[in-house]
Amino acid sequence: MYTKKVYNISILKKTGMKRMKKPIYFDHAATTYVKPEVLAKMLPYFTTNFGNPSGIYQVGRENRQAIEDAREQVAGILGCSNREIYFTGSGTEADNWAIRGTAFAMQKKGNHIITTAFEHHAVLHTCQQLEKEGFEVTYIKPDAEGIISAQDIEKAITDKTILITVMFANNEIGTIQPIAEIGKIARAHNILFHTDAVQAVGTIPINVVEMNIDMLSLSAHKFYGPKGAGAIYIRKGVKPQVFIQGGAQESSKRAGTENVPGIVGLAEALRLANIDIEERRLKIAEMRDYLIAQVMQKIPYTKVNGHLTKRLPGNVNFSFNFIEGESLLLMLDLNGIAASSGSACTSGSLDPSHVLLSIGLPHEVAHGSLRVTLGEENTYEEIDYLVEKLVMIVDRLRQMSPLYHE
Ligand code: PLP
């Protein structure tokens, strides 16, 4: 059982959590569990150390110090100074702040933003909203392997461009973008550069200075930290508008009483993620390549979406021709496997994933996709079980498909 594997009983007792029967978990890009060591660091801030960090009494001062220590931890890992890190309530909030904040702060200079067609909705919907508010947005398409060309970004620059925002790694197909190259171009043109690094932080070492990044979003629940805790790096001198008005928290730029347990948990999870980051990356990538090899060998009419090596170590995205992804997911779930599909189900109608369409997949192929995202606790036995079930389920679904028989 999943919880049994990662939590010892005493932690479960301490937190009052029940051991539940959990599926084999292959959806780490959606979220991860909170590591026991991270939870242990967070717990006192819910109970004994609950004081408001703005309080001048001892426990308030201690909590302020805990926030500042966390800030230093995050800054050290990203290669920036403490004052350039602001804590937020999520990766989505960090994206909104970077994009909307920059758009309105810079609107006297211009109204043009460059982004990509396969961003997470936290970026895409924010840009679409800005279009309704008078901004112009260029959506650069990735190539068939899910990589954005830095030259395409450069070609799209006009004298009205105020912001370039390109994700570090795609959340559906895991492809890693040429961020350092885009950063260089943005800096040469004196245009601000934001990257949504929510899928990359904790998996790939990132130095914001070396990569010429002006703003970067991250989120703790993607690297074994708590949900509802994010952060943004904003380079000194870059001044997006204040996003949440109110008190003086986060240098008066992001008001609201700080989520001390969340912030402490974020920093501890990031610290742990960066220990042996390279060994872990190689270990997970090896498991990923084993999964790809097994599936490609055993299931015909299958495609791996996204570049095979320029991708996150734990990400695999398959398209199985002649089947429908949602049915596949439901049947995997019945077999105790948690994974996700590339398509989003909206109010009864199935919309194919905008990411898969952006790399040129036809609608019907995009519908038959499956995202498997591995984490450090997955095992080869679990992958063998997944492959065994996939072979069986894909075959069964294809037998029911008139298209397959044609
Ligand atoms: N950006 C990317 C690339 C993501 O994958 C996600 C979450 O899936 C987000 C932003 C949103 O992060 P959060 O869940 O912290 O709001």
Side-chain angles (χ1 to χ4, degrees), residues 110-114 135-138 156-158 160-164:
N111 70 342
H112 180 230
I113 294 168
I114 300 171
F135 291 87
E136 279 176 27
V137 182
T138 302
I157 293 173
T158 72
K160 296 259 186 311
T161 308
I162 49 173
L163 176 69
I164 296 171

Side-chain angles (χ1 to χ4, degrees), residues 319-391:
S319 284
F320 300 105
N321 286 10
F322 318 115
I323 68 159
E324 206 272 298
E326 299 299 317
S327 314
L328 173 60
L329 281 184
L330 288 175
M331 290 177 77
L332 285 173
D333 185 34
L334 288 174
N335 284 279
I337 294 169
S340 85
S341 102
S343 56
C345 186
T346 42
S347 59
S349 76
L350 282 172
D351 282 338
S353 138
H354 69 285
V355 173
L356 297 179
L357 295 183
S358 78
I359 59 169
L361 255 60
H363 276 235
E364 67 280 8
V365 179
H367 269 305
S369 55
L370 172 75
R371 181 183 74 173
V372 178
T373 46
L374 308 174
E376 60 190 67
E377 76 284 358
N378 284 131
T379 63
Y380 282 88
E381 289 73 35
E382 289 174 341
I383 291 179
D384 287 340
Y385 178 74
L386 168 68
V387 174
E388 183 197 318
K389 293 298 167 190
L390 273 177
V391 169

Side-chain angles (χ1 to χ4, degrees), residues 24 42 108 115 121 131 141 177 205 268 400-401:
I24 298 176
M42 294 170 66
K108 284 210 178 87
T115 188
H121 285 132
E131 283 185 280
K141 275 193 156 201
Q177 305 309 314
E268 178 64 1
M400 295 190 293
S401 157

Side-chain angles (χ1 to χ4, degrees), residues 29-31 88-95 118-123 167-172 196-200 217-222 226-230 371:
T31 197
T88 64
S90 62
T92 300
E93 184 192 321
D95 285 341
F118 72 163
E119 295 292 315
H120 187 274
H121 285 132
V123 168
M167 69 198 322
F168 207 110
N170 184 272
N171 49 300
E172 286 189 30
D196 171 347
V198 166
Q199 289 290 334
S217 311
L218 62 91
S219 178
H221 73 104
K222 307 292 185 180
K227 293 167 186 56
R371 181 183 74 173

Side-chain angles (χ1 to χ4, degrees), residues 183-406:
K184 211 165 167 185
I185 290 169
R187 192 62 57 86
H189 288 268
N190 199 22
I191 295 166
L192 293 178
F193 176 42
H194 165 250
T195 183
D196 171 347
V198 166
Q199 289 290 334
V201 169
T203 301
I204 303 174
I206 298 175
N207 183 300
V208 287
V209 176
E210 283 169 10
M211 293 181 167
N212 288 310
I213 295 167
D214 294 307
M215 289 171 282
L216 174 145
S217 311
L218 62 91
S219 178
H221 73 104
K222 307 292 185 180
F223 48 83
Y224 301 93
K227 293 167 186 56
I232 184 169
Y233 154 74
I234 304 178
R235 184 169 64 83
K236 186 168 182 274
V238 173
K239 292 189 165 61
Q241 269 189 359
V242 171
F243 192 59
I244 299 182
Q245 304 284 349
Q249 296 90 353
E250 298 301 284
S251 310
S252 299
K253 294 200 169 114
R254 195 276 185 185
T257 301
E258 298 90 336
N259 171 9
V260 186
I263 290 170
V264 168
L266 181 152
E268 178 64 1
L270 191 56
R271 187 184 74 78
L272 293 174
N274 275 271
I275 299 173
D276 301 334
I277 191 166
E278 194 50 24
E279 283 93 329
R280 203 168 329 105
R281 188 181 70 77
L282 291 174
K283 185 188 137 207
I284 297 175
E286 233 171 72
M287 224 172 348
R288 172 200 69 195
D289 294 342
Y290 172 77
L291 168 61
I292 292 176
Q294 290 293 306
V295 168
M296 296 308 282
Q297 195 190 319
K298 294 183 176 162
I299 308 180
Y301 308 113
T302 300
K303 179 182 184 301
V304 178
N305 297 310
H307 197 285
L308 280 180
T309 54
K310 292 179 190 168
R311 72 188 301 138
L312 292 169
N315 175 291
V316 188
N317 190 302
F318 294 112
S319 284
F320 300 105
N321 286 10
F322 318 115
I323 68 159
E324 206 272 298
E326 299 299 317
S327 314
L328 173 60
L329 281 184
L330 288 175
M331 290 177 77
L332 285 173
D333 185 34
L334 288 174
N335 284 279
I337 294 169
S340 85
S341 102
S343 56
C345 186
T346 42
S347 59
S349 76
L350 282 172
D351 282 338
S353 138
H354 69 285
V355 173
L356 297 179
L357 295 183
S358 78
I359 59 169
L361 255 60
H363 276 235
E364 67 280 8
V365 179
H367 269 305
S369 55
L370 172 75
R371 181 183 74 173
V372 178
T373 46
L374 308 174
E376 60 190 67
E377 76 284 358
N378 284 131
T379 63
Y380 282 88
E381 289 73 35
E382 289 174 341
I383 291 179
D384 287 340
Y385 178 74
L386 168 68
V387 174
E388 183 197 318
K389 293 298 167 190
L390 273 177
V391 169
M392 199 185 75
I393 297 168
V394 170
D395 184 56
R396 192 179 298 166
L397 290 173
R398 281 179 176 166
Q399 293 308 329
M400 295 190 293
S401 157
L403 288 174
Y404 184 59
H405 293 289
E406 273 168 33

